[in-house]
Amino acid sequence: MGISTGKQYVSRIDQLKTNIWLDGSRVTGNISEHEAFKGVIASQAKLYDLQHQPELQEIMTFVSTESGNRIGVSFLEPKTKEDLEKRRLMIQEWARSHAGMMGRSPDYMNTILMVLNASAELFTAEDEKCAANIRDYYQYVKEHDLSLTHVFVSPQNNRGRQEAEGEQIAARMVRKTEDGIVIHGSRILATQAGMTDEILVYPVPSNVDDEAFAYAFAIPCDTSGLSFICRESFAYKDASYDHPLGSRYDEMDAIVVFDNVLVPWERVFLHGSSFVKNLLYSQSNMFEQTAHQVVSKSVVKSEFITGTIQLIINSINISEYQHVREKFSEVAIALEAMKGFLHESERNAKINQWGTMTPDPNPLLAAVNYYPRIYPRFIEIIQLMSASGLVAIPSEKDFASDQKELLNHHLQSVCQDGYERVKLFRLAWDLSMSAFGSRQQLYERFFFGDSIRLADQLYSRYDRGGSVERVKDFLKEKR
Ligand SMILES: Cc1cc2nc3c(=O)[nH]c(=O)nc-3n(C[C@H](O)[C@H](O)[C@H](O)COP(=O)(O)OP(=O)(O)OC[C@H]3O[C@@H](n4cnc5c(N)ncnc54)[C@H](O)[C@@H]3O)c2cc1C
C-alpha cells in the first residue's frame, strides 16, 4: 500500500456510507458528488495526488522501514532537525495547494497520530494492550494513508467551572463489555466530517477526574451508532468564479453523536485512567508537533493573503497612499514574524524522552497566541483596502449575459477588464465577508482552543530563560 492516490481516497470515502446529516436529511449516494462536499473532497484528492508527482517525491514521501512502502512525510517521526525541516516543506507544499484554507488537511491528524505512536509508552500505565493498540493503529493508518477527523470538546452547554451539566450530554464511556467499550453522548466539533475514513477521539485536559471521560479510541466513520450532524454548507454553488474559496475548500464541521457505539478493544487506547489522560498533554509533546504543523500552514496562508492584498493595491492603484503602505507593512511584518517563530522553533529543537526531535515550544506558544489576534486584522485590512469593491461583484452569469460589455467596461481596473477585476475582488470577498471567510476567521480564533486559555498555557509553560534570575541579580548588585 503506502501513499494513496486521490482516486483511491475518493473511492474509499464514497464506499463508507457514513451517517451524515445535512439540512434535515441523511446524505445518500456518493458523498464526493454531493454539492456540499464535492469541491473540498476534490481538493483533498489533489493533495493525495501530489504525493505521486515524481518531482515532489523526495519532499512528500519517505520509505517505511517496516514495509518498504512510500509513506507521506506527515507520518514521519522526526529524529533530527533535518527531519523537522522535511516535515515543514511537505506541510507547506500541501498548504500551497489549498492556499492554507484547509485547516484539517490530513497532515494535521497524521501529526497527532505520529505523536501518539512515539509516546505510546505513556499508555502502558492504562494497560500494555493500549500502547500496542496505538502502535498498530499508527502502522495501519500510515501504511494505508487513511484520512482522519477528530473530536474531543464537550457540547457547549454549561461552561461553569464544575462542567457538570455539559458533561451529562458529552459522550461518556457507559460500560465495558467483553467486546470493547461503549460510548454514548456527543462531542463537538468534527471538521472534515463526512470526508474521512476514520474518527479519532481523545480526551481534553479538564478538571473532571471521572473515568467515564478518560477514554481514547479510533473507529471507522461508518461505525454503527455513529452520526455526524453538519452545519449548513458554505460551498453554496459549484462555482469557482463566484465562490473561489468556498467552492473548493469548505471543510464541513459537524456535531458527532455516539448512540451506544461499541469500540472494539483493539481500537481502544485509553479506558478509564485519568492519570494517563492528564499525562497525555504534558508528556507526549503533542502541542509542539501539532503547533509546528499549524504554524507551517499559517505561514502559507499569510503569504496567500499578502499576495491578495498586493493585487488589490495594484488593481485599483492605491499604492501611493501612506496608510495603504502602512497596512501592507503590518501584514508583511506578521508574515515574517510567523516565519521567524517557525524557524526558531526548529533551530532550538531538542530530542524528547521518546527520542523524537521536538520543536522549541516557546516560539510556537507565541505563534499560536499571536495568529488568532492578527488574522482578524488581516481580514479588516482587506476590507479597508477593498471598500465597495467587496460588494460590486456581479456573478459569472452576469458576465455571460447581455450585460457583459457594460460590466467589463464599468468594472475595469487600471490593469484588468471587469471580469478579471471582479474575479480578484470575489476572492477578497470570500476571504473577508462570505460565510466561508467568516468561518475561517472563527476557525483561526478557536481551532486550537480559545485565546484566553492559550494565553494561560503560554503563561504556565513559557521558559523564561533565566530572565527572572538576571533581574534578581541586578537587584542584588550594589554600586
Ligand atoms: C471552525 C471550528 C472548527 C473546529 N474544529 C474542531 C475539530 O475538528 N475537532 C475538535 O475536537 N474541535 C474542533 N473545534 C472546537 C474547538 O476546539 C473549540 O471551539 C475550542 O476549544 C473552544 O471551545 P468551545 O468552542 O467549546 O468554546 P467555549 O469553551 O464554550 O468558550 C466560549 C467562551 O467562554 C469562555 N470560557 C469558557 N470556559 C472558560 C474557562 N474555563 N476559562 C476561561 N474562559 C472560558 C471562552 O474564552 C469563550 O469566550 C472547532 C472549532 C471551530 C470554531
Side-chain angles (χ1 to χ4, degrees):
M1 283 295 292
I3 45 174
S4 282
T5 61
K7 207 171 159 194
Q8 287 166 333
Y9 156 70
V10 172
S11 130
R12 284 199 317 262
I13 301 304
D14 280 344
Q15 277 166 34
L16 262 184
K17 309 298 175 211
T18 301
N19 188 5
I20 307 161
W21 287 78
L22 176 67
D23 210 16
S25 2
R26 185 172 172 172
V27 174
T28 52
N30 287 340
I31 191 142
S32 67
E33 290 162 23
H34 189 285
E35 282 299 321
F37 295 90
K38 68 179 176 191
V40 67
I41 288 180
S43 298
Q44 187 124 298
K46 207 168 137 195
L47 298 183
Y48 285 107
D49 281 339
L50 279 180
Q51 304 184 117
H52 293 268
Q53 285 193 12
E55 68 280 13
L56 291 178
Q57 199 169 59
E58 278 313 304
I59 292 180
M60 305 303 294
T61 66
F62 69 103
V63 177
S64 163
T65 46
E66 288 82 12
S67 64
N69 289 329
R70 284 221 161 255
I71 303 291
V73 162
S74 53
F75 288 107
L76 177 72
E77 182 190 348
K79 295 288 186 186
T80 62
K81 290 187 181 179
E82 288 70 34
D83 286 347
L84 271 182
E85 185 188 0
K86 192 171 165 66
R87 286 182 54 84
R88 165 170 44 84
L89 292 176
M90 180 268 154
I91 289 161
Q92 294 192 327
E93 193 65 46
W94 264 10
R96 271 190 286 278
S97 167
H98 55 75
M101 300 294 152
M102 288 172 64
R104 294 287 155 86
S105 51
D107 42 326
Y108 183 82
M109 292 307 299
N110 296 351
T111 300
I112 290 180
L113 260 193
M114 176 276 286
V115 171
L116 292 178
N117 176 65
S119 59
E121 189 69 25
L122 271 176
F123 293 83
T124 53
E126 175 74 77
D127 73 45
E128 288 287 343
K129 195 73 188 81
C130 285
N133 289 347
I134 286 181
R135 292 188 181 110
D136 289 349
Y137 186 66
Y138 166 72
Q139 289 301 333
Y140 169 68
V141 173
K142 175 184 94 151
E143 295 290 338
H144 291 82
D145 209 6
L146 300 182
S147 55
L148 269 65
T149 181
H150 78 313
V151 78
F152 57 81
V153 179
S154 61
Q156 199 180 37
N157 173 257
N158 176 355
R159 290 293 194 246
R161 285 196 190 279
Q162 295 311 315
E163 298 182 35
E165 221 178 302
E167 296 295 348
Q168 296 303 317
I169 299 171
R172 55 167 59 220
M173 184 171 61
V174 286
R175 61 186 175 277
K176 297 183 187 183
T177 73
E178 246 179 44
D179 300 321
I181 61 173
V182 177
I183 305 291
H184 190 73
S186 60
R187 290 273 158 191
I188 54 167
L189 186 70
T191 296
Q192 286 225 351
M195 52 183 284
T196 66
D197 300 275
E198 299 253 333
I199 179 167
L200 175 69
V201 187
Y202 52 87
V204 265
S206 83
N207 53 11
V208 178
D209 259 356
D210 181 341
E211 69 165 29
F213 297 110
Y215 58 77
F217 61 86
I219 44 178
C221 285
D222 64 349
T223 300
S224 171
L226 182 62
S227 54
F228 296 85
I229 302 171
C230 299
R231 63 159 164 79
E232 183 183 343
S233 164
F234 303 147
Y236 295 121
K237 325 184 218 176
D238 181 18
S240 60
Y241 183 89
D242 292 348
H243 300 262
L245 299 174
S247 64
R248 293 173 169 102
Y249 309 128
D250 184 31
E251 296 175 296
M252 183 52 81
D253 308 293
I255 300 155
V256 183
V257 180
F258 301 83
D259 182 7
N260 287 300
V261 170
L262 174 71
V263 180
W265 280 117
E266 64 272 17
R267 289 301 194 87
V268 175
F269 311 140
L270 187 65
H271 53 89
S273 168
S274 294
F275 173 70
V276 178
K277 181 188 100 170
N278 294 333
L279 287 186
L280 186 59
Y281 291 90
S282 60
Q283 299 291 309
S284 68
N285 294 117
M286 189 190 284
F287 168 79
E288 286 84 342
Q289 300 292 354
T290 48
H292 182 259
Q293 186 277 341
V294 162
V295 179
S296 299
K297 186 220 62 174
S298 300
V299 164
V300 172
K301 188 171 190 176
S302 308
E303 285 169 350
F304 188 80
I305 287 171
T306 308
T308 305
I309 290 174
Q310 185 61 60
L311 287 176
I312 291 166
I313 294 172
N314 299 347
S315 172
I316 54 172
N317 191 24
I318 50 174
S319 67
E320 68 197 86
Y321 303 112
Q322 208 173 9
H323 80 94
V324 169
R325 290 165 171 260
E326 194 262 338
K327 288 186 177 80
F328 178 87
S329 309
E330 216 180 304
V331 178
I333 291 165
L335 167 59
E336 293 306 315
M338 290 299 283
K339 285 190 206 165
F341 292 139
L342 184 58
H343 290 280
E344 186 68 355
S345 79
E346 289 177 20
R347 197 175 68 84
N348 292 329
K350 290 193 178 62
I351 291 284
N352 72 1
Q353 61 178 317
W354 317 110
T356 312
M357 182 56 74
T358 305
D360 181 358
N362 263 10
L364 294 175
L365 281 163
V368 300
N369 272 276
Y370 175 60
Y371 206 64
R373 290 172 168 78
I374 199 70
Y375 190 82
R377 178 66 180 151
F378 289 173
I379 300 312
E380 187 180 21
I381 287 174
I382 292 174
Q383 291 188 358
L384 291 171
M385 289 201 184
S386 308
S388 62
L390 292 178
V391 279
I393 46 172
S395 71
E396 191 166 32
K397 274 192 184 154
D398 292 313
F399 280 100
S401 72
D402 292 347
Q403 304 296 316
K404 179 179 167 179
E405 294 305 320
L406 182 147
L407 289 174
N408 264 325
H409 176 69
H410 289 288
L411 292 173
Q412 68 183 293
S413 71
V414 292
C415 51
Q416 296 144 316
D417 64 13
Y419 183 81
E420 288 302 321
R421 192 194 102 136
V422 169
K423 193 179 196 181
L424 171 65
F425 279 80
R426 278 214 161 255
L427 170 62
W429 165 83
D430 220 3
L431 272 170
S432 65
M433 285 184 60
S434 68
F436 175 88
S438 303
R439 185 249 175 221
Q440 286 285 320
Q441 204 177 142
L442 192 77
Y443 182 85
E444 293 300 348
R445 284 187 200 271
F446 284 108
F447 81 95
F448 220 55
D450 74 284
S451 59
I452 306 301
R453 279 168 282 181
L454 277 174
D456 203 53
Q457 196 185 349
L458 183 146
Y459 186 83
S460 310
R461 293 202 52 195
Y462 187 72
D463 178 356
R464 271 82 174 160
S467 59
V468 175
E469 284 64 35
R470 280 198 290 283
V471 177
K472 280 185 183 167
D473 290 346
F474 172 82
L475 293 173
K476 276 186 215 150
E477 258 176 38
K478 292 199 175 88
R479 297 198 74 200

